[in-house]
Amino acid sequence: MERETSIGKKADEFLQMFRKGEEFTQELLKENERLRFKLAQLEDAVERSGDEAKVRLYEERIKVTEDELNSLKERFRQVEEENKDFAAKYVEVEDENNNLANLYVASYQLHSTLDFNEVLRIVLEIVINLIGAEKFAVLLMEEKTNELIPVGAEGLAISDVPKVRFGEGIIGTAAREGESYFSENIHNNKGSNSMENPIVCIPLKIKEHVIGVIAIYSLLIQKKKFSNVDYELFNLLAGHAATAIFSSRLYTQSERKLTTIQSFLDMLKEKPRR
Amino acid sequence: MPNILVVEDSPTMRQLISFAMKRIAGSKVIEATDGVDALKKLSSEKIDLILCDINMPVMDGLKLVSLVRGSPGYKDIPIIMITAEGAEEDRKRALAIGANAYLPKPIQTQELIKLVNGYISK
């Protein structure tokens, strides 16, 4: 009986131990499951944080690239502006070159001869071809009579151009003042039918001494207005044409005098022989 | 290397046009004072383009153009007329005879160079 009680007690103790073991196992299983869940969460977090870092990296790269693109765009815009400036300057330099070529040719031609008629022809050519005048006349100062006498004309008969008294009318005043005259009618290309009222009057001057005048009455139909180079040409004509005309006149006169003196000397030499 | 024949009786204009043409890279300028002189130059030189005035002594520009267009050897040479006659009927007349282009005086050098370059590059 006592032995049976002892076996029952041991069985209870074993049962209790077994139950505790079961409970412990249950707890271990729960803990394991909890840890597995935690691990899965951590793994997921690690994975997610890796993607975010990559996204941040890519975003930074995009930002740098965008900044570079904007900087390149700005540089491109600046280069384009510079190009435009260069193109404008190139056109300006080309225009200036062409103008200088015109002035050089005009000056070269004016001083290429000492023949008065040829100089006069060159002046007429310059006024037609480089300035674009249709009707005009060249008048030279006659000191003895104090008059401006027509010596050459284009687009009109020289006989139609009247002599002008120094200081009288537009032509005479331009000669006296030594200042160029430009009519208000230039830019509507109407021209002038009156020989006393040219649309442009350019005094031919050697320093301040006026030796003549170029009077323009109308421009070629296609010539709508004067450009900067035209005014430069007027200045050039005022000085260079005057010098060329004056020199050629002096040369022609001296040639004539030389021929006369030579003939006179020849006559003197011939006399003793008789 | 294009050979450009400048036909112009005025020495001033001849020099000015030649001056402008020499600025075209590799070009050679041959000058003639009138139509007859131009025909002589055409027979002795290979010409790629003619720049021609209308009003000239001996033989004028219009006569020269019609002769050039009637000659099998030269009929395809581009001809640009440069003249003081700026009226529309003058332009039409020159183009009808066979000129390729018509430029009224006073010439704008840049415009002339551009025009010539256009024909030479063809």
Side-chain angles (χ1 to χ4, degrees):
Chain A
M1 185 71 178
E2 200 174 305
R3 198 178 165 193
E4 277 178 11
T5 311
S6 166
I7 288 168
K9 206 175 174 180
K10 277 182 183 175
D12 281 343
E13 278 174 10
F14 177 77
L15 200 64
Q16 271 181 355
M17 231 171 72
F18 184 78
R19 277 181 188 149
K20 275 184 184 172
E22 191 194 356
E23 277 172 16
F24 183 65
T25 306
Q26 288 288 340
E27 272 176 30
L28 276 177
L29 283 170
K30 275 183 187 172
E31 185 62 20
N32 184 277
E33 201 171 327
R34 194 183 63 78
L35 285 171
R36 274 171 185 265
F37 181 69
K38 188 78 180 169
L39 182 66
Q41 269 186 329
L42 282 171
E43 274 178 354
D44 188 45
V46 166
E47 203 173 316
R48 255 188 286 130
S49 70
D51 282 351
E52 275 169 19
K54 275 181 191 169
V55 168
R56 268 203 301 277
L57 187 71
Y58 289 143
E59 276 175 355
E60 271 168 28
R61 278 188 190 167
I62 288 168
K63 193 175 175 309
V64 170
T65 314
E66 269 180 354
D67 286 347
E68 276 176 14
L69 182 70
N70 287 336
S71 152
L72 285 171
K73 273 183 183 171
E74 177 61 19
R75 184 77 195 115
F76 180 74
R77 196 190 58 73
Q78 282 173 356
V79 170
E80 247 186 351
E81 285 294 313
E82 278 171 17
N83 263 350
K84 275 181 197 166
D85 282 351
F86 283 132
K89 273 181 193 153
Y90 177 78
V91 171
E92 217 173 281
V93 169
E94 277 293 296
D95 281 348
E96 198 63 30
N97 260 348
N98 296 332
N99 294 349
L100 285 172
N102 283 4
L103 295 173
Y104 167 77
V105 170
S107 174
Y108 179 91
Q109 289 292 333
L110 280 171
H111 297 293
S112 64
T113 178
L114 279 170
D115 183 298
F116 173 74
N117 290 324
E118 211 170 324
V119 170
L120 195 60
R121 182 185 55 75
I122 292 165
V123 171
L124 299 180
E125 272 185 13
I126 291 170
V127 180
I128 304 168
N129 295 316
L130 299 189
I131 289 174
E134 185 191 32
K135 292 179 185 171
F136 61 95
V138 179
L139 298 97
L140 292 183
M141 188 67 198
E142 184 63 62
E143 305 283 350
K144 286 176 193 166
T145 57
N146 214 24
E147 280 178 326
L148 290 151
I149 314 288
V151 291
E154 191 65 43
L156 46 97
I158 197 163
S159 53
D160 291 342
V161 185
K163 291 177 184 175
V164 177
R165 283 206 68 79
F166 186 75
E168 282 180 11
I170 290 171
I171 298 172
T173 307
R176 189 188 61 207
E177 306 286 328
E179 295 289 334
S180 299
Y181 165 82
F182 296 95
S183 154
E184 288 171 1
N185 289 334
I186 292 172
H187 298 301
N188 56 25
N189 202 2
K190 277 182 184 166
S192 168
N193 292 322
S194 159
M195 291 296 110
E196 279 80 31
N197 297 309
I199 56 167
V200 175
C201 204
I202 308 295
L204 303 172
K205 292 194 292 186
I206 298 173
K207 289 203 171 172
E208 294 311 309
H209 180 62
V210 176
I211 65 144
V213 158
I214 296 173
I216 299 174
Y217 298 100
S218 69
L219 302 176
L220 292 169
I221 191 166
Q222 64 272 22
K223 181 82 179 184
K224 304 292 178 203
K225 60 175 185 175
F226 287 133
S227 60
N228 287 343
V229 73
D230 292 324
Y231 293 104
E232 295 286 339
L233 276 166
F234 286 136
N235 283 339
L236 181 130
L237 280 171
H240 288 239
T243 318
I245 287 171
F246 190 75
S247 310
S248 62
R249 262 184 146 184
L250 275 185
Y251 183 76
T252 310
Q253 282 168 7
S254 61
E255 277 283 284
R256 207 179 300 137
K257 278 180 187 167
L258 187 68
T259 313
T260 313
I261 292 166
Q262 192 65 51
S263 308
F264 186 66
L265 285 172
D266 289 346
M267 258 173 58
L268 287 174
K269 279 179 195 168
E270 278 174 18
K271 266 195 173 175
R273 275 185 227 159
R274 285 176 190 174
Chain B
M1 184 164 154
N3 285 352
I4 300 168
L5 178 62
V6 178
V7 193
E8 170 67 73
D9 61 320
S10 151
T12 312
M13 274 310 284
R14 211 165 50 235
Q15 191 184 14
L16 190 74
I17 296 168
S18 300
F19 217 77
M21 290 303 100
K22 280 171 191 164
R23 288 172 60 194
I24 294 173
S27 66
K28 183 185 166 192
V29 179
I30 298 131
E31 296 183 359
T33 53
D34 55 61
V36 173
D37 194 18
L39 290 173
K40 281 183 198 162
K41 298 281 162 64
L42 273 166
S43 63
S44 61
E45 304 255 7
K46 186 198 165 291
I47 301 295
D48 299 295
L49 185 135
I50 301 172
L51 292 169
C52 179
D53 186 15
I54 288 188
N55 297 319
M56 289 185 292
V58 190
M59 183 194 288
D60 69 17
L62 296 174
K63 179 76 182 160
L64 174 67
V65 174
S66 58
L67 285 175
V68 168
R69 287 291 174 252
S71 165
Y74 313 132
K75 68 180 171 58
D76 295 325
I77 299 174
I79 303 175
I80 300 172
M81 312 282 316
I82 298 173
T83 175
E85 318 295 332
E88 185 55 24
E89 55 267 31
D90 294 313
R91 196 181 74 87
K92 281 181 182 164
R93 193 157 55 111
L95 296 180
I97 284 172
N100 295 75
Y102 190 89
L103 213 56
K105 292 178 187 175
I107 54 161
Q108 300 297 313
T109 314
Q110 277 303 97
E111 194 184 347
L112 176 64
I113 292 174
K114 201 175 161 187
L115 196 60
V116 169
N117 269 328
Y119 283 105
I120 283 172
S121 60
K122 281 177 190 171

